[in-house]
Amino acid sequence: MAVTEAERRAMTRALELAVRGPRGANPQVGAVLLSPAGDIISEGWHRGAGTAHAEVDALSHLAPDQARGATAVVTLEPCNHTGRTGPCALALIEAGVRRVVYALDDPGAVSGGGAERLRAAGIEVEAGEQADAARTVVADWLTAGRLGRPHVTVKWAQSLDGRAAADDGTSQWITGPEARADVHRRRAASDAIVVGTGTALADDPSLTARDGDVLYAHQPIPVVIGSREIPATAALHRHPQGLLRFDTHDLRAVLSDLHARGIQRVFIEGGPTLASAFLAADLADEVLAYIAPVLLGGGRLALTDIGVGSIGEARRLRVVERVWLGEDLLLIAHPVTEEGS
């Protein structure tokens, strides 16, 4: 049976509901329940780890048996496993739902398989409605699940001759206001922003995401890697999110810990040493290089040793976007994998 117009409208609504939920270890999911006549009788979304999933949230607003014969429209395949909550596929079966329309298959080896369970119970199932839109909503969650760690963006600003600072260490500001505003927008789209203790001590950064003098509604969690103490008076301690400290040089362990906390997207702003460490460890999924038309000379390079001893060992990148920001140029690049992507 083809997807009806009422079900298409319900999916659009479910996608709007999905983004009300927090980004975290679990995906953002929305659900709409339709009566046999195609009218909306309930809505729900996932409000965070440990809370009811979207389908169960929507069912919770109905009286017993009110969902019997209904159609459930969900942005992600109903789950088929018991974690902190029970399987949504079973909840829909027990509620007497007649039909399920969902956008995107659940890729989880444990959580997937809900559609098969629903069909086995005699429920009509339609998959793929507005799948691309649903994939956009949970893109970071899908990437983090595939990688087993957060997606990592490494950012730096440099002069035309590849310097991150003048010889006396001053670096504010290499780039202009348009480039700096772009950085803050990208900070706001991240879950965590990471620096090393060197940057934390030298620059006393706030690591907030600001639109001019106003904080963005979403603030990335500030993370500092390194063993040196951060003064109690440091701006980082006044960040609206709690500061995370990692006294280690094991970047994979740091990312594993952040992943366990539900952090899906990490923004590395820690200066040449930290940026180079992530690149050397093959932990950069995206590079943002802000290039200003200034010359600084000297030895304060934007990158240090990244493990390249000869030209044959060069880290190849593919530039996916070029953005002019006032007089500055932003190059967005992705590592070239063995498959050439």
Side-chain angles (χ1 to χ4, degrees), residues 143 146-147 149 151 282-286 314-320 333-341:
T143 299
R146 175 175 55 83
L147 296 173
R149 60 166 176 77
H151 178 279
D282 285 326
L283 291 174
D285 304 299
E286 180 178 60
R315 305 297 178 97
R316 301 293 177 181
L317 303 174
R318 176 171 57 89
V319 175
V320 297
H334 296 166
V336 175
T337 65
E338 291 181 0
E339 291 78 20
S341 60

Side-chain angles (χ1 to χ4, degrees), residues 51-63:
T51 66
H53 289 187
E55 302 94 317
V56 175
D57 183 46
L59 290 169
S60 71
H61 303 306
L62 299 178

